[in-house]
Amino acid sequence: MPMPARAGSEKATMSDERTPLIAVVQTRPHRDRYPHHRLRYICTLFLSISLFTGLIAAVLILNFLPLADDDSDTAAGISRVLPGKLPPGWPYSTGLDYEALVDILTETPDSEKAREYSRYYTSGPHLAGKNLSQAIWTKDKWEEFGVSSLIVDYDVYLNYPKGHRLALLEKKGDDDDKDTAEGEGEGEGKWKIKYEASLEEDVLEEDATSGLKDRVPTFHGYSASGNVTAGYVYVNYGTYRDFEQLQAANVTLEGKIALAKYGGVFRGLKVKRAQELGMLGAIIYTDPGDDGEVTVANGYAAYPDGPARQPSSVQRGSCQFLSFAPGDPTTPGYPSKPGAPRQDTSHAIPSIPSIPISYQDALPLLKALNGHGPKASSINWKDGGLGYKGVEYHIGPSPDHLSVNLVNEQEYVTTPLWNVIGIINGSIPDEVVVLGNHRDAWIAGGAGDPNSGSAAFNEVIRSFGVAVRAGWKPLRTIVFASWDGEEYGLVGSTEWVEEYLPWLSASTVAYLNVDVGTQGPDFKLSAAPLLEKVVIDTVQLIQSPNQTVPGQTVGDVWDKRISTMGSGSDFTAFQDFAGIPSIDMGFGADPRSAVYHYHSNYDSFAWMEKYGDPSFQYHETIAKIWALVAAKLVETPVLQLNATRYAAGLRRYVDSVKAKARAASFPPNDPEDIFAGLDAAVSRFHFAATIHDGTAAALLQQVIDDDIPWWKFWEKLQLYYAIRRVNTKYKFLERQFLYKAGLDGRSWFKHVVFAPGKWTGYAGATFPGIVEAIDEKDEKAAFKWMIIATETVDGASDWLESE
């Protein structure tokens, strides 16, 4: 190494101003630091180049190898996930750009195709478990459209009608023995037939479906067999509140038969409450007073001559206790596969007989109560719409000389039903969007419920099939489901969710349901808050068939009302059991619409062509909306979910529960005190949701700006994983609101925020545990559920805030 010159050295010379301050003195000759120095240098250089090249190759492989292996889950048909690979083409799908996909999805659906499918689906009976040929036809159609499909079956517990009877009996003297009823009552006289109900719907020349030889009789799903004779009581809508008012008015219920109107609550809950109060049976009819303006009493002709209700129409339907446990009542919480253990059904279906009847058959029973018991108006019930027919709407009980004989004969069997499942595998198989509609109906028709949805569904799938044939592969996986057994109690969808719960919980982003695609001109939406915005944005893109101003979209003419998720359709297992955000949408009636004959023979192709959707343009429109909502969720790199709307929803729900508590003066002290913790949790969630949505929006903007050069592959990877983290939080956010033990008394329902009302069935309840505790004035339960709700909302905030 260089050394300074030493003073006094023999070689030292006299210094001057040009002499360097430091002189270099050679102490030894140069030698390499290591043996084979040049070889080591060459090897180091080679290895460095190799590592750099390998890194680039690894990135390229991660970018261009398929995300899924060759294996698949053969039952579900969904590709497995191979984590750690960049999806091909990310951040977009492959084969088509988004604008081209939207063009296909908005231009392909065709009203005449929908008419063709509707004609097929409504051409014969398709009760659950009774029409395998229709499932096969549907599967074959989807395969024809280019969508891989399969049939998934379950062995489920169902009933089918064998016979029924409803007779109004009158006690006569011994000297009059004509028309003697088969069963004689006790005492001196005999019971004679005063009126025998037809329990049939009229055959109409103008409606071919009404006269089919194999048309389905009028009956209730999951009703009990029985033969009872007793007096009867008019119970209004048969709601929990109605029965409370009857008890307060000292009306005798035990040992009587309930005569109830449809409406207000799910029909099975009417029967359940009557059963709990010791009543022997239930008769349920549709009162035209609930049809709004369009009634015979208001001068409208009855179907088929006009838009008013056909007097003989009967609403069939399930009497399962839907808000307590949907699905197969013998397998609560697990799928009804062959060999599955079967449970007692008393928790889920009635033990007393029930039948549905028309208002035409109800008239003699209602009129026979005239003058007996208090009037309905005396306990603040509104009279029905049969006053012009001489009905005074007295409650009863019926006088001692009158009784009704109710006979219901059902055959219960364990039988297969068939779901049709179609799959388009995406580049990200662990992010899945499911679309569903049920196929079964109570009658041969079902042009509105469900087959307006089924016809539109086929056009949705045909549209996606056109895109697949054009080379498109979606970013996320799409699953299509045609459910069987919905009408009995959401059976097909519930069993499927119960079977595939682990995969659904790990993968599913959203469930998009259309039950009734159309029965009128008004767009209707029920939605989990996470999905509200994506639907709002979509309906602004689709032209409305009903335009008062040229160019109006569905969003322009929609009233913007969004209902809370309850039950009554196939979204229930997804939303309330699996914690998957869901929507249910379709076009419904407005106040001027023709009366829709729900679950009646007159929900027919003839009715749809004459009154419901003559041009089938609403079928086409709901198909376009459905397809575009799915496309937005499937194709946008950052999931189109919105947590801030969830936070706003939670605030509204808490405020509504507070109002209920104040109205009930429960608890006796200021309700605001016990809500303090939940209020704070909701405020925190709102902050976390706002931050999360802001992060998601910023990442999406980065994708849109697309300013990452191709050679900065590491920045692209960083963006991918940042979006992946955001999407994962969105995907699992709804699951954070599940409570494993479930609601009190109905443990199948796991969601803390949403459930069907315990005594409503269809309508949704928010924070149901707290609400039910208030209704039942159970202070201990109220505090329990307040703590659960607070911890659950805080847990959701923790999830959003986690790294």
Side-chain angles (χ1 to χ4, degrees):
M1 63 183 293
M3 299 289 289
R6 291 176 295 176
S9 169
E10 293 179 1
K11 295 183 180 181
T13 59
M14 294 298 292
S15 298
D16 60 26
E17 68 276 9
R18 290 183 293 275
T19 302
L21 294 177
I22 299 176
V24 177
V25 177
Q26 187 71 43
T27 61
R28 64 174 172 82
H30 169 78
R31 69 169 184 256
D32 289 334
R33 187 175 181 184
Y34 302 107
H36 314 297
H37 174 78
R38 291 187 179 277
L39 178 61
R40 286 174 178 259
Y41 175 76
I42 293 169
C43 290
T44 300
L45 184 62
F46 176 77
L47 287 173
S48 299
I49 293 171
S50 298
L51 286 171
F52 184 72
T53 306
L55 179 61
I56 293 175
V59 171
L60 292 173
I61 289 169
L62 287 174
N63 271 278
F64 296 107
L65 274 182
L67 189 66
D69 63 10
D70 293 332
D71 232 345
S72 63
D73 183 329
T74 55
I78 310 299
S79 297
R80 294 177 182 173
V81 179
L82 289 181
K85 295 183 178 180
L86 195 63
W90 189 88
Y92 304 107
S93 57
T94 58
L96 285 177
D97 62 29
Y98 184 70
E99 290 73 20
L101 176 65
V102 169
D103 287 344
I104 288 172
L105 299 181
T106 53
E107 293 171 5
T108 302
D110 180 78
S111 58
E112 289 307 309
K113 288 279 188 183
R115 187 191 303 270
E116 173 191 327
Y117 307 140
S118 177
R119 191 184 298 276
Y120 166 76
Y121 281 120
T122 61
S123 61
H126 41 294
L127 269 175
K130 287 286 190 179
N131 201 323
L132 176 59
S133 64
Q134 199 176 82
I136 294 170
W137 183 91
T138 300
K139 175 185 178 295
D140 289 347
K141 272 292 175 192
W142 294 5
E143 296 273 3
E144 177 187 317
F145 298 153
V147 174
S148 176
S149 304
L150 68 160
I151 292 176
V152 180
D153 63 297
Y154 297 94
D155 285 355
V156 299
Y157 187 66
L158 301 177
N159 67 304
Y160 297 111
K162 292 177 64 179
H164 53 198
R165 186 219 190 179
L166 179 66
L168 179 62
L169 306 180
E170 185 175 22
K171 201 171 187 179
K172 293 286 188 178
D174 288 333
D175 57 340
D176 185 358
D177 61 359
K178 66 179 180 179
D179 293 332
T180 302
E182 291 182 10
E184 294 185 357
E186 295 179 359
E188 297 180 357
K190 299 177 180 179
W191 291 101
K192 312 297 181 180
I193 298 172
K194 183 177 178 67
Y195 173 73
E196 183 87 38
S198 73
L199 304 183
E200 293 278 347
E201 293 177 299
D202 293 347
V203 174
L204 307 177
E205 185 178 343
E206 300 88 342
D207 191 332
T209 306
S210 68
L212 290 175
K213 290 183 179 179
D214 56 353
R215 62 188 182 273
V216 181
T218 59
F219 80 110
H220 278 151
Y222 289 130
S223 60
S225 294
N227 183 337
V228 293
T229 301
Y232 61 100
V233 177
Y234 173 70
V235 298
N236 199 32
Y237 293 106
T239 67
Y240 195 95
R241 174 64 175 156
D242 288 338
F243 279 114
E244 281 189 323
Q245 290 175 304
L246 288 169
Q247 290 174 297
N250 294 316
V251 175
T252 301
L253 299 174
E254 188 173 0
K256 305 296 183 183
I257 293 170
L259 175 60
K261 295 189 293 186
Y262 272 115
V265 298
F266 184 70
R267 70 187 71 77
L269 300 177
K270 303 172 191 280
V271 183
K272 176 178 171 63
R273 190 59 184 148
Q275 173 182 306
E276 290 175 349
L277 295 175
M279 303 190 81
L280 303 180
I283 305 160
I284 312 178
Y285 80 100
T286 303
D287 195 296
D290 295 315
D291 288 338
E293 174 64 25
V294 184
T295 64
V296 173
N298 289 332
Y300 293 88
Y303 180 74
D305 300 319
R309 179 174 300 280
Q310 219 290 329
S312 69
S313 68
V314 178
Q315 182 192 136
R316 299 155 181 80
S318 175
C319 275
Q320 186 188 50
F321 305 154
L322 189 64
S323 55
F324 288 80
D328 185 334
T330 67
T331 61
Y334 57 94
S336 295
K337 302 301 285 186
R342 304 284 168 167
Q343 309 296 321
D344 176 74
T345 61
S346 59
H347 69 286
I349 62 176
S351 60
I352 62 173
S354 67
I355 59 171
I357 66 172
S358 64
Y359 81 73
Q360 184 171 271
D361 274 342
L363 273 170
L365 278 67
L366 291 164
K367 290 165 78 171
L369 290 177
N370 285 351
H372 299 284
K375 287 200 69 173
S377 57
S378 70
I379 53 175
N380 297 318
W381 294 351
K382 290 177 63 177
D383 287 347
L386 294 170
Y388 79 107
K389 289 283 191 179
V391 176
E392 297 175 3
Y393 290 97
H394 282 260
I395 290 169
S398 55
D400 291 342
H401 70 282
L402 293 178
S403 289
V404 292
N405 176 228
L406 166 60
V407 178
N408 188 47
E409 296 178 359
Q410 300 294 320
E411 176 186 19
Y412 272 87
V413 297
T414 299
T415 184
L417 58 70
W418 306 279
N419 296 331
V420 182
I421 306 296
I423 306 103
I424 303 176
N425 278 309
S427 299
I428 309 177
D430 69 333
E431 292 178 2
V432 177
V433 176
V434 184
L435 286 69
N437 159 265
H438 75 94
R439 192 181 61 253
D440 65 301
W442 289 114
I443 30 78
D449 181 14
N451 298 131
S452 59
S454 307
F457 202 20
N458 282 352
E459 281 300 270
V460 170
I461 297 167
R462 187 171 72 87
S463 300
F464 279 115
V466 170
V468 169
R469 286 197 173 100
W472 173 69
K473 181 174 182 177
L475 192 62
R476 299 182 178 88
T477 292
I478 311 175
V479 174
F480 305 105
S482 173
W483 309 116
D484 198 0
E486 187 271 357
E487 293 292 7
Y488 276 82
L490 324 178
V491 180
S493 58
T494 299
E495 302 310 308
W496 191 78
V497 170
E498 288 173 346
E499 179 173 13
Y500 293 108
L501 183 62
W503 168 72
L504 288 166
S505 295
S507 303
T508 309
V509 170
Y511 174 67
L512 313 179
N513 192 67
V514 171
D515 190 325
V516 179
T518 180
Q519 50 152 301
D522 282 4
F523 182 68
K524 308 289 184 182
L525 174 66
S526 299
L530 281 171
L531 289 166
E532 290 176 355
K533 187 175 185 300
V534 70
V535 182
I536 292 168
D537 291 345
T538 302
V539 294
Q540 295 293 344
L541 305 176
I542 304 298
Q543 293 288 294
S544 172
N546 176 30
Q547 297 184 356
T548 55
V549 177
Q552 282 182 314
T553 65
V554 173
D556 292 333
V557 300
W558 176 38
D559 64 9
K560 309 301 188 293
R561 294 182 61 185
I562 302 175
S563 301
T564 301
M565 302 302 290
S567 186
S569 195
D570 290 303
F571 59 81
T572 303
F574 289 88
Q575 180 75 45
D576 299 332
F577 182 74
I580 295 166
S582 304
I583 65 170
D584 185 39
M585 60 184 176
F587 287 94
D590 69 13
R592 301 171 300 282
S593 296
V595 169
Y596 175 58
H597 295 80
Y598 178 60
H599 289 180
S600 159
N601 272 347
Y602 310 124
D603 178 10
S604 61
F605 186 81
W607 180 88
M608 185 62 72
E609 275 204 311
K610 187 170 184 178
Y611 292 111
D613 185 16
S615 67
F616 279 73
Q617 285 297 312
Y618 284 97
H619 287 69
E620 178 182 316
T621 302
I622 193 62
K624 292 177 180 178
I625 295 171
W626 203 355
L628 278 196
V629 171
K632 280 179 173 288
L633 290 168
V634 167
E635 292 292 86
T636 308
V638 178
L639 282 171
Q640 293 300 284
L641 303 180
N642 191 278
T644 307
R645 291 189 73 92
Y646 209 135
L650 290 177
R651 172 52 57 206
R652 291 195 307 273
Y653 309 150
V654 171
D655 288 345
S656 71
V657 177
K658 285 182 182 178
K660 184 178 185 68
R662 284 193 294 270
S665 298
F666 181 83
N669 54 325
D670 185 359
E672 292 287 341
D673 293 342
I674 68 168
F675 282 93
L678 185 54
D679 281 334
V682 170
S683 296
R684 180 190 168 203
F685 181 81
H686 191 281
F687 181 78
T690 303
I691 296 296
H692 186 70
D693 285 345
T695 302
L699 290 171
L700 182 58
Q701 191 60 51
Q702 280 187 254
V703 173
I704 293 169
D705 292 343
D706 193 22
D707 56 0
I708 301 175
W710 67 267
W711 51 271
K712 287 191 175 181
F713 54 87
W714 61 89
E715 290 188 12
K716 186 175 181 182
L717 278 173
Q718 287 175 339
L719 179 59
Y720 167 70
Y721 283 112
I723 289 175
R724 179 82 172 174
R725 283 192 296 273
V726 164
N727 285 347
T728 298
K729 288 184 179 183
Y730 273 137
K731 181 173 72 171
F732 292 121
L733 181 56
E734 195 78 59
R735 258 78 105 202
Q736 306 308 307
F737 293 95
L738 297 181
Y739 178 60
K740 187 176 180 180
L743 297 177
D744 294 340
R746 44 185 187 141
S747 60
W748 187 91
F749 289 93
K750 308 292 186 186
H751 208 293
V752 169
V753 180
F754 301 114
K758 187 174 183 178
W759 286 103
T760 61
Y762 286 133
T766 53
F767 289 110
I770 303 172
V771 167
E772 288 159 26
I774 293 170
D775 286 339
E776 295 163 14
K777 298 194 180 302
D778 186 337
E779 196 164 336
K780 182 178 179 181
F783 280 103
K784 168 191 168 180
W785 281 102
M786 195 71 68
I787 292 169
I788 291 170
T790 301
E791 291 177 346
T792 299
V793 175
D794 269 334
S797 298
D798 291 342
W799 171 248
L800 288 180
E801 293 168 350
S802 62
E803 291 298 327

